[in-house]
Amino acid sequence: MGQRVHEAGVWRQPGRLPWGETERRPSSSGAGTSAIGKTELLDYLIERASGCRVVRAAGVQSEMELSYAGLRQLCAPLLSHLDDLPEPQQNALRTAFGMRAGDAPDRFLVGPATLSLLAGAVGDEPLVCLVDDAQWLDRVSAQTLEFVARRLLAESVLLVLAVRESGPREAFTDLRELHVRGLSDRDSGRLLETVLTGPLDRRVRDRIVAETRGNPLALLELPGARSGHGTARRR
């Protein structure tokens, strides 16, 4: 199982985000193992996004059958800008988000409407849009965000989607990828030392490092589960 981070948009503030670039990044992604730290990476990005407006959403597995649930979650803080959109786009989003009655909106209106909403929300601050666990987005939300990601050209908008891989995916396959990898054995050993007290048998240490395969969460939790093998967890 792996994880990917997809990013799209134009960034105009070098040094404030992990990539530290001014070039256009139409799409990107990253992959690693389960619990490798994608959420922590997004948190780090937020810490570096000073002077920016940040909106955030997360895919919810139980809501995968609810059309536009993920998109509504991401766009909810921006709905005050709905009135600035052309009326057909306004109506499409209001219907998609359950704000007005009507038939299912045309997806070819929802996509441009979402792009217009994000662009219109920029104002004096760049906009950072983060979606965690994007593999659990409902299908139309995922398709809409992929549409938007491919069309962020001159807007000061950064769209980042973190995906845990568990098999073939239909969405986000063409976006540029940043692979989130596990820690090296050396760094794994250093992290392990932060949760242990007292001496640790070298063979036990090496086995823990090998079993966790660079997974930070596993490195922090496994020593406690193996306390009967001579390891002691720091409290």
Side-chain angles (χ1 to χ4, degrees), residues 30-158:
T33 58
S34 178
I36 201 67
K38 63 181 177 58
T39 300
E40 287 74 14
L41 181 60
L42 296 183
D43 290 339
Y44 175 75
L45 193 153
I46 290 176
E47 292 174 2
R48 304 276 290 186
S50 59
C52 304
R53 183 176 186 180
V54 178
V55 293
R56 189 169 187 173
V60 180
Q61 192 170 14
S62 61
E63 296 182 357
M64 291 182 69
E65 301 302 319
L66 301 178
S67 296
Y68 296 109
L71 189 66
R72 169 66 189 265
Q73 184 188 161
L74 181 68
C75 294
L78 311 176
L79 293 181
S80 60
H81 298 277
L82 261 181
D83 290 340
D84 299 330
L85 272 56
E87 186 172 355
Q89 293 187 1
Q90 286 187 43
N91 293 339
L93 286 184
R94 292 183 192 278
T95 304
F97 296 159
M99 300 169 65
R100 57 169 284 172
D103 296 331
D106 187 340
R107 285 187 300 152
F108 293 101
L109 272 178
V110 174
T114 302
L115 180 60
S116 297
L117 184 67
L118 298 183
V122 170
D124 296 329
E125 299 176 324
L127 179 66
V128 179
C129 304
L130 308 178
V131 182
D132 200 358
D133 286 324
Q135 76 281 355
W136 288 333
L137 288 174
D138 59 278
R139 184 174 182 179
V140 287
S141 289
Q143 291 173 337
T144 301
L145 290 176
E146 187 170 21
F147 173 93
V148 169
R150 291 172 174 158
R151 290 162 178 80
L152 287 173
L153 300 175
E155 296 80 5
S156 293
V157 177
L158 182 71

Side-chain angles (χ1 to χ4, degrees), residues 5-11 19 21 23-29 45 149 157-161 175-178:
V5 178
H6 301 266
E7 167 263 321
V10 177
W11 198 251
W19 296 281
E21 298 178 359
E23 66 181 88
R24 177 176 172 268
R25 300 285 299 274
S27 58
S28 99
S29 77
L45 193 153
V157 177
L158 182 71
L159 174 61
V160 181
L161 304 118
L175 300 185
R176 194 170 178 183
E177 298 179 352
L178 168 69

